[in-house]
Amino acid sequence: MMHWFHRTVGRGQRLAAYAADELPPADRARAEADLLACPACRREVEAYRLVSGTLRTSERAVLAPDQAAAFWSGVERRIQRGATPTRPARPALRELFWDHPRLSLASAVAAVVLVLGLTLGQMGVWTVRPPGAPNGVEVVSVEAGEDASVMVFQAPGSSLKVIWVFEKPSS
Amino acid sequence: MGGPGGPPREPEDDRDLVDRARRGDREAFATLVRRHQDRAFNLAYQMVRNREDALDISQEAFARAYTSLPAFKGEASFTTWMHRIVVNLAIDNLRRRRRSGTTAYDDTRAAPQGGDAEPAAPDNPATILERKQVHALLARGIAQLPPAQRAVLVLREIEGLSYEEISRAVGCTLGTVMSRLFYARRKLQQVLRAHLGDLR
Ligand SMILES: [Zn+2]
């Protein structure tokens, strides 16, 4: 029936969080209303519950007694050998697309256009700034890691967000 | 969850031990390791599902923590910091295995326990069979998740961390935590329903 319409990210996310008991009361009431109206959504919540319930009761892995006893000496050996200092895991480009599923080829092209505009704008060649706007492109957020940085840009007056990944070449 | 804006909860003396270790007290660091080794090992195991790799990752994580002590500012708890190092190493391990085509979940048959298995709850055989089946299906589903999604799922569902703690441990925004968690849960939910049909 209308269940295909329920499978949007917002509603699905609410149901998944509802099944895991993570919703604040107001959202919980909304999710319960959704559930009353749709048997397919109810079955989905049951499956979500089974996922969370099973994972939450899964067995913990325990070191065997000899492994526990020798654990520190193993660490010490590595320290003496010279462990590499920690570095953040490099976000794989493919996984960034996972996190931002709406990021498509179209927005990747838009990113090139936007960033090119920004660069040219800075060089005084050309500007994407709409009349009256203080800035051509606004940087919404920057996350910098040691070997990659992620910047999110947005043009004022536009809902389009552009995610730009700078990956430093690995040595 | 801790107080709003307050420092993450942590046993007082963890901080103390970190300070001493930073000043070169190797024995203080050994105490920290003994205190946290089980948790680090379990987290690594839940990520890579292989005892040998989990042992390797958790020991390496502590060695790296020691080497990086000068950079540890103490704005996060030692636990959060260790979560972060273990998760990063586990993600690297999974990506390497993916690239080399090795299966990620290779010991679904083995019990995670090193010693004696805990006595199972008294259930009827049908329920036990069903639960085993669900566990196996979920293990297969988890193996298909991108490593970063797997990390968020494990930290939330198995380690029981709050969204805030996960975002600190993984080093991403709350929004990213929420979307990774949603896609991971949805994937597993779909796997279960595809195999078990609609659950009663
Ligand atoms: Zn529905």
Side-chain angles (χ1 to χ4, degrees):
Chain A
M1 292 156 288
M2 286 299 282
H3 185 62
W4 60 269
F5 176 71
H6 297 158
R7 305 189 55 128
T8 53
V9 169
R11 185 153 179 165
Q13 205 156 2
R14 189 159 62 238
L15 290 183
Y18 172 79
D21 288 324
E22 289 170 358
L23 283 186
D27 292 329
R28 208 179 307 149
R30 232 178 121 187
E32 272 158 8
D34 289 349
L35 288 179
L36 273 178
C38 181
C41 279
R42 283 203 291 278
R43 286 193 291 273
E44 225 164 272
V45 163
E46 265 183 67
Y48 276 126
R49 283 229 166 94
L50 188 58
V51 171
S52 289
T54 308
L55 292 178
R56 283 173 193 187
T57 58
S58 60
E59 283 175 285
R60 295 184 72 81
V62 178
L63 287 161
D66 57 316
Q67 290 174 320
F71 194 92
W72 164 245
S73 58
V75 174
E76 208 171 23
R77 222 174 304 122
R78 286 162 194 265
I79 292 173
Q80 266 142 16
R81 218 165 46 203
T84 334
T86 61
R87 55 165 196 82
R90 171 205 296 260
L93 198 57
R94 195 163 45 101
E95 286 176 34
L96 279 163
F97 278 82
W98 262 107
D99 288 338
H100 307 279
R102 271 169 290 177
L103 192 71
S104 60
L105 182 63
S107 53
V109 172
V112 175
V113 173
L114 216 52
V115 173
L116 192 67
L118 180 74
T119 315
L120 293 175
Q122 277 172 343
M123 291 163 64
V125 178
W126 177 61
T127 176
V128 291
R129 186 190 314 165
N135 252 317
V137 179
E138 203 177 300
V139 177
V140 180
S141 73
V142 181
E143 276 182 64
E146 259 174 43
D147 38 21
S149 306
V150 180
M151 291 179 90
V152 180
F153 301 93
Q154 189 165 26
S158 154
S159 62
L160 175 73
K161 277 204 181 81
V162 170
I163 295 141
W164 193 245
V165 186
F166 304 88
E167 251 185 303
K168 287 173 199 151
S170 47
S171 44
Chain B
M1 245 142 266
R9 60 192 137 78
E10 167 176 35
E12 279 301 310
D13 40 5
D14 261 14
R15 223 159 264 275
D16 207 53
L17 289 168
V18 169
D19 282 340
R20 280 167 50 199
R22 203 164 15 192
R23 277 183 260 117
D25 184 342
R26 189 73 73 91
E27 201 39 55
F29 192 70
T31 308
L32 270 175
V33 170
R34 283 186 207 105
R35 192 178 284 176
H36 291 267
Q37 64 187 35
D38 281 325
R39 194 162 184 190
F41 173 73
N42 178 56
L43 176 58
Y45 177 81
Q46 300 296 345
M47 285 290 293
V48 301
R49 289 284 159 160
N50 174 297
R51 291 187 59 93
E52 204 180 307
D53 284 5
L55 182 62
D56 182 60
I57 287 169
S58 49
Q59 287 183 324
E60 181 66 18
F62 283 109
R64 291 194 183 196
Y66 185 81
T67 321
S68 310
L69 273 175
F72 179 60
K73 298 290 189 298
E75 70 273 6
S77 70
F78 185 71
T79 309
T80 304
W81 194 45
M82 283 312 299
H83 275 135
R84 188 170 187 151
I85 303 175
V86 169
V87 163
N88 281 338
L89 287 173
I91 288 177
D92 281 348
N93 170 290
L94 291 170
R95 290 191 181 140
R96 242 179 292 121
R97 275 203 259 170
R98 241 171 218 220
R99 255 176 266 132
S100 67
T102 333
T103 154
Y105 256 54
D106 54 6
D107 69 351
T108 39
R109 67 207 146 69
Q113 243 76 8
D116 309 298
E118 270 171 37
D123 276 318
N124 68 57
T127 322
I128 292 170
L129 185 70
E130 209 172 87
R131 190 178 303 156
K132 275 192 174 162
Q133 197 188 359
V134 171
H135 268 291
L137 284 172
L138 287 183
R140 232 180 297 153
I142 289 174
Q144 291 165 22
L145 295 175
Q149 279 182 30
R150 193 192 294 201
V152 169
L153 184 83
V154 164
L155 290 172
R156 174 73 201 137
E157 301 285 28
I158 299 177
E159 290 292 309
L161 266 57
S162 70
Y163 285 14
E164 287 82 5
E165 289 169 322
I166 298 170
S167 90
R168 269 196 296 269
V170 179
C172 64
T173 63
L174 271 182
T176 302
V177 171
M178 285 160 80
S179 73
R180 281 182 189 168
L181 189 58
F182 170 60
Y183 288 108
R185 281 173 170 162
R186 186 173 66 177
K187 167 82 187 168
L188 298 183
Q189 179 260 129
Q190 286 165 345
V191 167
L192 284 193
R193 290 183 60 193
H195 286 83
L196 301 180
D198 283 328
L199 314 141
R200 282 171 295 273

